[in-house]
Amino acid sequence: MTRFSIGLLALLACLLAAVPARAEAPSRVVSINLCSDIVAADVAAPGTLKSVFRLGRDPEDSPVAALLADVPPNDGRIEDILPFAPDLVLAHEWTSPFTLDLLARMNIPVATVKDARSFEDIRENIRTVAAALGREEKGEEVIARFDAETAAARRESANAPTAILYQDLGSAATPNSILGRILSLTGFRNVVTEENVVGLAYPGIEDVIAYRPELIALGIYRPEAPSQANAVLEHPALRLYRERYAREVRLDAGGWTCSTRFVAVIASRLAATHDAMTRSSSTLPRGEGQTAEVSVGRGHR
């Protein structure tokens, strides 16, 4: 072997030694936020989720509660995390900076999801978690399913019915919120036009009625536990308007918790409502359709 060949082999050996070995996928994952719980339940390999935030197991808050029922809960505190000796922690951009700083000091890897305000944000959160888990292919499968479900819920309408998505505490979805985007996707025109960073407006009962929405979509949180927060949805004036002039659909507010891929379920419900409104209005003479059972109030504008 020539001196040149020996030198070349030595150089190759050095280069190979400098290349780090491919890290193994995390096997002891702790999620400390409901939003990361929901995404991780979809993409994590079986048995790798060692603990999730306590709300991830609550069916009123979590659409994946059944999948996480046997996973130990935590409260997101550092003392809840360390006993599991995690090799990855999943969190949210709003997770306690104190907790995140302690994890960084202990060199425990952390991947964070963000507050999703668009369909692309939902896809990005899935990709973030999937990449951290070494499950990119699974993440793309979940995204493909989400895209197919939202595509199936898309409705075009030259004369889009007006709508408002009204929730507990009298909040209404603004156009550029996830819920506002779902209204638009499913063929409705949002009567709320103002925008803000929160994605919620707070019109009074009189304002809601003055908007004359043809659809009132009510977001109900914990319907079996009435509260002062949702009492506004049963205001006599609003209830009378719904009964006489608008179609009503009740939506489980848990369906849009954290704005994950499960908002596609809400989109499907609204698309079906759009179809029903379109069918009923097309079978009526012009000027009819003032009751909740039919075209929901076009004659009352």
Side-chain angles (χ1 to χ4, degrees):
M1 184 178 291
T2 65
R3 183 177 301 177
F4 175 80
S5 299
I6 294 173
L8 181 59
L9 288 174
L11 177 60
L12 287 173
C14 290
L15 290 174
L16 289 172
V19 176
R22 179 176 176 85
E24 293 184 3
S27 61
R28 302 190 59 80
V29 182
V30 173
S31 175
I32 59 174
N33 181 270
L34 174 60
C35 301
S36 54
D37 290 349
I38 296 172
V39 180
D42 262 341
V43 299
T48 57
L49 269 179
K50 301 304 181 182
S51 179
V52 294
F53 189 59
R54 55 184 171 79
L55 292 180
R57 296 159 26 114
D58 185 339
E60 294 292 341
D61 281 292
S62 171
V64 294
L67 296 176
L68 302 177
D70 296 327
V71 180
N74 67 68
D75 281 320
R77 300 171 301 185
I78 195 71
E79 56 265 39
D80 298 327
I81 301 169
L82 296 183
F84 293 99
D87 51 9
L88 175 69
V89 171
L90 300 176
H92 191 278
E93 61 179 345
W94 294 344
T95 293
S96 164
F98 174 76
T99 300
L100 295 178
D101 181 61
L102 285 176
L103 291 170
R105 292 184 183 202
M106 290 181 282
N107 295 317
I108 297 176
V110 176
T112 58
V113 296
K114 64 181 179 179
D115 190 37
R117 296 191 49 129
S118 68
F119 297 150
E120 185 53 38
D121 287 345
I122 292 174
R123 299 183 190 99
E124 185 176 334
N125 279 341
I126 295 170
R127 289 190 173 109
T128 295
V129 173
L133 294 172
R135 301 270 288 175
E136 291 90 345
E137 185 175 341
K138 181 65 174 179
E140 293 305 316
E141 290 177 9
V142 173
I143 290 171
R145 182 162 70 247
F146 170 68
D147 287 344
E149 290 170 346
T150 52
R154 184 179 299 278
R155 297 293 184 272
E156 303 293 342
S157 177
N159 188 22
T162 56
I164 187 170
L165 204 157
Y166 202 50
Q167 305 175 69
D168 296 346
L169 296 174
S171 63
T174 62
N176 282 339
S177 66
I178 281 287
L179 296 176
R181 295 178 193 278
I182 290 173
L183 283 177
S184 177
L185 173 79
T186 54
F188 292 98
R189 178 163 57 89
N190 197 345
V191 295
V192 176
T193 57
E194 67 176 275
E195 295 288 5
N196 55 51
V197 296
V198 179
L200 295 172
Y202 289 86
I205 295 295
E206 298 89 346
D207 298 316
V208 173
I209 294 173
Y211 286 147
R212 295 289 194 226
E214 298 167 78
L215 172 70
I216 297 182
L218 296 177
I220 312 294
Y221 179 66
R222 295 186 181 269
E224 303 305 320
S227 65
Q228 289 294 325
N230 61 38
V232 65
L233 303 181
E234 299 304 327
H235 189 284
L238 184 61
R239 187 168 62 247
L240 181 63
Y241 178 83
R242 298 199 310 263
E243 291 172 353
R244 293 190 177 183
Y245 307 119
R247 185 178 291 268
E248 170 190 320
V249 60
R250 290 178 174 255
L251 304 172
D252 180 0
W256 55 78
T257 297
C258 291
S259 297
T260 64
R261 73 162 181 94
F262 292 95
V263 299
V265 177
I266 301 300
S268 179
R269 288 281 312 280
L270 287 171
T273 301
H274 181 278
D275 293 344
M277 293 173 68
T278 302
R279 285 195 301 268
S280 59
S281 64
S282 66
T283 61
L284 295 170
R286 184 180 298 276
E288 294 187 13
Q290 293 94 335
T291 66
E293 290 74 26
V294 286
S295 180
V296 299
R298 288 190 186 274
H300 291 262
R301 299 193 145 256

